[in-house]
Amino acid sequence: MEQLKGGDEISYLITLACSIVIILIVVLLVGELWYNSQPAIKKFGFSFLTGTTWDPNGDVFGALPFLYGTVVTSIFALVLSVPLGVGAAIFLAEMAAPKLSNALTFLIELLAAVPSVIYGLLGIFVLVPILRKYVAPPLAMTHLPIFSGTFYGFSLLAAGLVLTIMVVPFIVSVSREVLLAVPVEQREASLAVGATKWETTWQVVLPNASTGILGSIFLALARALGETMAVTMVVGNTPTISTSLFSPGYSIAAAIANQFAEASGQLFIASLIFLGLVLFGLTIVINAVARILIIMTAQRGM
Amino acid sequence: MSEGKMKTFTGGLAIAALLGALPLAAQSITGAGATFPAPIYQKWFNDYQQVASGVQINYQAIGSGGGIRNITDGSVDFGASDGPMNDKQLKGYEDKWHYPIYEFPTVLGSDVLTYNVPGITTGIKLTPDAIAGIFLGKITKWNDPELEKNNPGVKFPDMPIVVAHRADSSGTTYCFTDYLSKVSPAWKSKVGKNTSVNWPVGLGGQGNPGVTGIVKQQTGGIGYVELIYAVENKLPYALVKNSSGAFIKPDLASTTAAAAGVVMPPDFRVSITNSSNKAAYPISTFTWLLIPSHFSDAAKGKAIVAFLHWAITKGQGEVESLDYAKLPSSVVAKEEVAIGKIKY
Amino acid sequence: MVMQISRSRKITNNVMLTLSGLCALLVVMVLFFILGYLLWNGATSLNWDFFTKLPKPIGETGGGMANAIVGSGKILLLATLIGVPLGFLAGVFLAEYSGRTFAFLLRYTVDLLNGVPSIVIGIVAYALVVKPMNGYSTLAGGVALGIMMIPIAVRTTEEFLRAIPNSLREGAMALGATKSKAIFTVVVPAAISGLTSGMMLNLARVAGETAPLLFTALGNMFWSPGWLHPSASLPVMIYNYATAPEDSLHAQAWAAGFVLLALVLGINVTARMIIARGPASARR
């Protein structure tokens, strides 16, 4: 490293100091989480993740109902948003004229900026009544186990649908970029041998972009897992495990949001923080996978 | 950094400082806790600014459990709860702060059973067995014989009962489950009394507003809330059969009757559910402010003590407009003495 | 010889491509629906009181969210003052000074921070600021949101500085500028539109955050004096009023939602316009 002149040294040191402060903040954050959840970790260990009883009075804490709700609503959101999002991305990347594509993409990316609490607001006053009146009865008539039981409005179904709308923009945005990055030559070659536009998209472009699209799905998943407000406003906040989407449920983030302010007793608080740690761990893993996939896409040098 | 940028920066800092500084209240106090008395507390604190100018008491209704937790943590200046702190919690507080915490009753209120049943706009009569049966999940439909037999002339639809209860730690729950434990051995052994219990059935809402919301939205819903929440949201509520056999409507008179003649212990922790008084509404309760016995900030302590004196005397003049009952004068007298023990 | 495409393949082609168009349409319609619904309900509930009055106690009608608007403003100001300088300077370090291993470490930790769910940030801020200070405060809220702003500030700065061609740096230094002078007087200004728009998007993102504020700023019926007292904020008020049973409060929740969304989308659109019009070197 060459000798830095006067102002350079200060500038170097200040920017270095800021970088170190940030690293320290993160270390402190993880440390706080780890340290404050110790009482729960020591008492329950791995069985925390499989325990089904959450009883603050009896000091028994099992996270499974929250984990279940988090995973179910997120997977549901992906199942709906992936076809919708990739479909939209295909239109925007392959079909639409550039001006239209850019304009629509701009609008769809604005959807991603809408705050969670506003989705929750619309969820309570628009989505839930519509579900109660028009969607649940026909679904109930299918007699499928996932649509069984009484529908109270606030349910895993409602939460899953809100999450769907919230993650679609991410899938559209990233998938569109990935699709656009597939070289034109690939498409032209396919069309030259007589494939239709759809066949080109489905058999040539998509497979090329699949890793990147998969990355977008993981990113969307990470977002869905950590969503707090929109979910807690429509999910019913009941720690049960049910096969039916009509049932009210709970998510990790919603549980923390509702119970942290009033939790008393060391084990209760530690268990909530342990929950937070579990959620954090989940999002780290998913984000890492997403990142790897996206790097792999870039490196393929398409 | 360039001149222009420096100017904007210092200008911005000045605005920030200004924004932060205004408006200056002489004393800014924060309390948190029960939603049960929140309407009257918020009214009190709003009006108290006229009484003691410059004293701003910010009350956040997050549930009794939240009140107890926050005052124990020290993140608020006082708490509020309608489930009196139990011995373990009191000890926990004293262990942490090295001085005790005091509980001062402020008003009397009642837990009413409010419901949303099409066609029923008046108060139905509920027996303890009916209530326990509903909340235990044994009575599942509105046209159950137990409900019909006490309400001749009321047309109950063949509709499922949707129970609404508290999801958070609640003094309202404490009062309700305290009552149920006294009148239903089945409830006592299966669920018990506490600020938060394992509910056999039902949907959970946050705070009194949450339960009210569920009942309001859900046809067939029934829940337990403080009287004012049902009144304000124009929901009907039930008459409950008390220990003397009469079906009592929850109102000022019956709530006051529940506390009549109560022997108030020195720490003011007492239960008045299922009172033996003939005219008493059986699911009534005091609600308490949780005040540390020692304030290191003398001005703050002085302001809070002044408010307490006001609340149990002049403030009582406001409570009836929100359907809370006044404190019995014997209790007020005892409190005046006890407030004197707060050090600042 | 020209190959004839079979009818079934043609049909499939048209159907699938139409479907994809419908998907796009559906997604865009959702946006318009959200905006329209919020506009309709929010605008009709908006009145002068909303912006100027304090909230009324439970049961009384009327009142407004003046303190929540100012409260949000104060919290966001603090968050920007905490998160942006830290993030920006660390981003400068990454782009201009850092060696490979430290860069990897810093990027990894910043990514980690970005993945922390907002509710968890709230818990940590409670433990680090509220408990030691024995009180909820605007400061705690600002710290929580400021921490959330750091990762994007770092990444945006690094990205946009790296996009500036080295020729600019070298040119400046050839004219006798020190490295730091080159960075701050030449490179950063060249990237300014990207940096500004990035910071604006960052701000818009945390402006809507509710969860961290539940455990840090709590709430306030009145004006919050200074920085060390609990404060009302727009997102938390929306949450509280939306979940309350009274219809009058719902109306206020819509109005607040409208204001918040208008703010957030306004910042977003402005930021994107800045970047679209910025100098070519600032575009990705």
Side-chain angles (χ1 to χ4, degrees):
Chain A
M1 197 182 59
E2 77 265 23
Q3 257 301 36
L4 297 167
K5 304 184 191 156
D8 275 359
E9 224 169 80
I10 300 178
S11 162
Y12 177 80
L13 286 175
I14 293 183
T15 53
L16 175 64
C18 288
S19 311
I20 293 182
V21 165
I22 293 179
I23 296 181
L24 285 179
I25 290 178
V26 179
V27 168
L28 184 61
L29 194 143
V30 178
E32 273 287 334
L33 288 176
W34 182 252
Y35 178 71
N36 286 316
S37 57
Q38 280 311 302
I41 298 179
K42 285 206 182 92
K43 176 136 195 234
F44 304 112
F46 188 71
S47 67
F48 186 69
L49 298 174
T50 52
T52 52
T53 317
W54 185 268
D55 180 16
N57 293 325
D59 263 358
V60 175
F61 298 102
L64 195 59
F66 310 118
L67 208 49
Y68 178 78
T70 307
V71 170
V72 164
T73 50
S74 303
I75 301 280
F76 178 88
L78 285 183
V79 165
L80 283 189
S81 64
V82 168
L84 190 61
V86 174
I90 288 176
F91 176 78
L92 292 172
E94 306 293 312
M95 292 290 299
K99 260 192 171 172
L100 180 65
S101 178
N102 286 335
L104 287 181
T105 310
F106 177 74
L107 291 176
I108 292 177
E109 284 176 355
L110 279 187
L111 254 185
V114 175
S116 181
V117 72
I118 298 209
Y119 278 113
L121 186 62
L122 287 158
I124 294 180
F125 295 119
V126 180
L127 184 67
V128 165
I130 289 181
L131 288 181
R132 243 195 225 125
K133 259 193 168 160
Y134 303 115
V135 178
L139 286 178
M141 292 203 290
T142 63
H143 290 298
L144 290 170
I146 52 167
F147 298 129
S148 59
T150 334
F151 185 69
Y152 298 114
F154 296 111
S155 55
L156 293 171
L157 178 67
L161 284 172
V162 173
L163 283 179
T164 305
I165 304 175
M166 293 177 80
V167 303
V168 156
F170 291 96
I171 298 194
V172 171
S173 181
V174 177
S175 300
R176 174 181 170 268
E177 275 191 37
V178 172
L179 287 172
L180 283 176
V182 172
V184 178
E185 296 81 44
Q186 300 267 2
R187 291 185 187 78
E188 286 176 357
S190 169
L191 292 170
V193 297
T196 60
K197 184 129 195 192
W198 170 253
E199 283 164 354
T200 307
T201 308
W202 184 249
Q203 293 170 12
V204 176
V205 181
L206 266 181
N208 252 296
S210 61
T211 326
I213 294 183
L214 202 57
S216 81
I217 295 177
F218 275 89
L219 265 175
L221 180 61
R223 164 98 202 242
L225 291 174
E227 256 320 312
T228 314
M229 301 319 291
V231 173
T232 189
M233 286 161 98
V234 301
V235 80
N237 298 330
T238 314
T240 53
I241 299 180
S242 164
T243 43
S244 169
L245 289 175
F246 279 6
S247 151
Y250 229 147
S251 78
I252 294 179
I256 299 174
N258 288 329
Q259 299 181 47
F260 188 75
E262 59 173 33
S264 52
Q266 208 200 24
L267 194 58
F268 192 2
I269 298 178
S271 300
L272 283 172
I273 299 182
F274 192 6
L275 259 183
L277 207 53
V278 168
L279 183 63
F280 185 21
L282 257 178
T283 45
I284 289 180
V285 168
I286 308 265
N287 267 320
V289 174
R291 200 144 302 279
I292 293 175
L293 286 170
I294 291 185
I295 290 179
M296 275 170 61
T297 317
Q299 276 179 351
R300 261 141 138 263
M302 308 181 305
Chain B
M1 232 189 288
S2 70
E3 267 267 6
K5 284 202 180 139
M6 273 312 282
K7 279 206 183 132
T8 347
F9 186 62
T10 36
L13 271 184
I15 297 178
L18 206 65
L19 258 185
L22 62 75
L24 224 30
Q27 192 58 241
S28 206
I29 300 170
T30 302
T35 55
F36 183 96
I40 183 59
Y41 284 177
Q42 287 187 354
K43 183 170 169 58
W44 268 350
F45 298 134
N46 214 24
D47 295 342
Y48 191 66
Q49 283 184 99
Q50 261 76 293
V51 173
S53 76
V55 175
Q56 195 169 284
I57 307 179
N58 168 29
Y59 181 72
Q60 293 297 309
I62 58 178
S64 299
I68 296 176
R69 142 75 178 281
N70 275 290
I71 190 60
T72 312
D73 267 2
S75 15
V76 293
D77 300 314
F78 67 90
S81 169
D82 5 279
M85 288 171 78
N86 59 33
D87 294 334
K88 187 167 160 207
Q89 289 164 334
L90 288 173
K91 182 166 188 307
Y93 185 91
E94 194 157 352
D95 284 345
K96 179 165 180 187
W97 296 94
H98 309 299
Y99 49 78
I101 183 162
Y102 295 150
E103 304 185 67
F104 294 103
T106 49
V107 289
L108 285 160
S110 44
D111 273 2
V112 307
L113 277 325
T114 184
Y115 44 85
N116 176 359
V117 184
I120 302 183
T121 51
T122 53
I124 58 177
K125 296 193 172 114
L126 290 176
T127 59
D129 286 339
I131 301 175
I134 290 173
F135 281 85
L136 279 170
K138 299 264 164 49
I139 297 179
T140 54
K141 287 217 163 168
W142 280 103
N143 58 353
D144 190 284
E146 178 66 36
L147 296 174
E148 288 190 322
K149 78 177 187 217
N150 289 301
N151 292 282
V154 176
K155 183 114 184 30
F156 286 102
D158 180 14
M159 177 184 271
I161 298 182
V162 181
V163 167
H165 56 73
R166 292 286 287 272
D168 51 333
S169 176
S170 151
T172 316
T173 299
Y174 182 84
C175 168
F176 187 58
T177 52
D178 178 38
Y179 164 76
L180 280 178
S181 298
K182 285 182 183 170
V183 299
S184 164
W187 181 273
K188 184 168 183 184
S189 58
K190 188 158 188 229
V191 187
K193 80 170 188 227
N194 211 320
T195 50
S196 122
V197 298
N198 277 329
W199 296 94
V201 290
L203 300 174
Q206 291 283 116
N208 270 288
V211 174
T212 314
I214 295 178
V215 173
K216 207 171 175 183
Q217 283 208 4
Q218 192 67 44
T219 26
I222 184 170
Y224 59 95
V225 296
E226 212 285 326
L227 176 58
I228 188 64
Y229 286 94
V231 167
E232 235 164 60
N233 288 283
K234 306 199 179 27
L235 292 167
Y237 45 93
L239 287 76
V240 178
K241 193 177 194 182
N242 69 0
S243 58
S244 308
F247 285 98
I248 303 290
K249 178 169 190 234
D251 58 24
L252 289 174
S254 56
T255 311
T256 312
V262 71
V263 175
M264 187 61 91
D267 64 359
F268 297 107
R269 298 188 296 160
V270 71
S271 157
I272 57 173
T273 53
N274 209 30
S275 161
S276 50
N277 286 326
K278 291 218 180 71
Y281 179 72
I283 325 180
S284 303
T285 179
F286 283 102
T287 185
W288 293 262
L289 280 177
L290 311 171
I291 314 281
S293 54
H294 179 91
F295 282 92
S296 48
D297 180 340
K300 190 171 273 187
K302 188 159 180 225
I304 290 185
V305 164
F307 170 76
L308 276 176
H309 279 296
W310 179 86
I312 61 177
T313 50
K314 294 236 176 58
Q316 296 289 303
E318 299 190 2
V319 311
E320 292 189 340
S321 64
L322 289 174
D323 292 324
Y324 293 92
K326 292 187 190 179
L327 294 170
S329 43
S330 55
V331 173
V332 174
K334 278 202 176 133
E335 281 192 64
E336 295 268 20
V337 173
I339 293 176
K341 291 199 282 170
I342 299 176
K343 305 225 180 318
Y344 52 85
Chain C
M1 196 176 79
V2 177
M3 230 181 98
Q4 286 287 42
I5 302 178
S6 74
R7 272 199 75 201
S8 70
R9 283 168 63 204
K10 259 201 191 138
I11 295 176
T12 318
N13 185 57
N14 292 334
V15 166
M16 293 313 278
L17 292 177
T18 316
L19 272 182
S20 75
L22 284 175
C23 287
L25 189 67
L26 190 61
V27 177
V28 173
M29 265 169 53
V30 169
L31 174 74
F32 282 124
F33 179 77
I34 291 177
L35 288 181
Y37 205 88
L38 214 49
L39 192 79
W40 175 249
N41 273 305
T44 48
S45 314
L46 265 187
N47 51 30
W48 187 241
D49 275 2
F50 179 84
F51 290 102
T52 53
K53 292 253 165 69
L54 292 175
K56 282 256 156 54
I58 299 178
E60 296 179 31
T61 47
M65 290 205 196
N67 59 342
I69 295 174
V70 172
S72 271
K74 284 162 71 175
I75 294 173
L76 290 175
L77 180 65
L78 210 49
T80 312
L81 287 177
I82 293 176
V84 170
L86 263 182
F88 169 71
L89 290 172
V92 167
F93 186 81
L94 268 182
E96 308 291 328
Y97 294 114
S98 177
R100 286 195 63 177
T101 28
F102 189 76
F104 177 75
L105 178 67
L106 185 57
R107 275 195 210 106
Y108 180 75
T109 19
V110 164
D111 264 351
L112 206 68
L113 188 57
N114 199 36
V116 180
S118 61
I119 190 83
V120 174
I121 303 251
I123 297 179
V124 172
Y126 180 81
L128 291 179
V129 186
V130 176
K131 263 185 103 168
M133 273 179 55
N134 279 340
Y136 295 93
S137 59
T138 311
L139 175 66
V143 166
L145 293 186
I147 292 180
M148 290 184 70
M149 288 183 83
I150 290 176
I152 296 189
V154 173
R155 258 206 245 142
T156 315
T157 309
E158 192 197 351
E159 241 186 73
F160 280 103
L161 288 185
R162 272 198 198 283
I164 303 295
N166 263 328
S167 51
L168 239 70
R169 291 179 186 84
E170 286 162 10
M173 285 167 59
L175 289 172
T178 56
K179 181 159 181 175
S180 61
K181 221 172 169 145
I183 297 173
F184 289 105
T185 59
V186 176
V187 181
V188 166
I192 199 70
S193 57
L195 292 175
T196 317
S197 98
M199 294 313 159
M200 289 173 77
L201 289 174
N202 203 357
L203 181 67
R205 178 181 159 242
V206 297
E209 283 295 336
T210 318
L213 296 181
L214 296 174
F215 310 137
T216 48
L218 191 67
N220 203 324
M221 295 158 57
F222 309 108
W223 296 104
S224 175
W227 304 92
L228 302 179
H229 287 278
S231 169
S233 59
L234 218 44
V236 173
M237 290 294 259
I238 296 176
Y239 174 61
N240 287 336
Y241 280 19
T243 49
E246 293 90 352
D247 290 326
S248 59
L249 294 183
H250 296 168
Q252 290 202 33
W254 285 114
F258 175 75
V259 170
L260 181 63
L261 192 63
L263 186 72
V264 166
L265 289 187
I267 297 179
N268 259 281
V269 169
T270 318
R272 283 166 200 274
M273 277 177 12
I274 290 180
I275 207 177
R277 293 200 190 151
S281 54
R283 279 191 221 121
R284 270 188 240 174

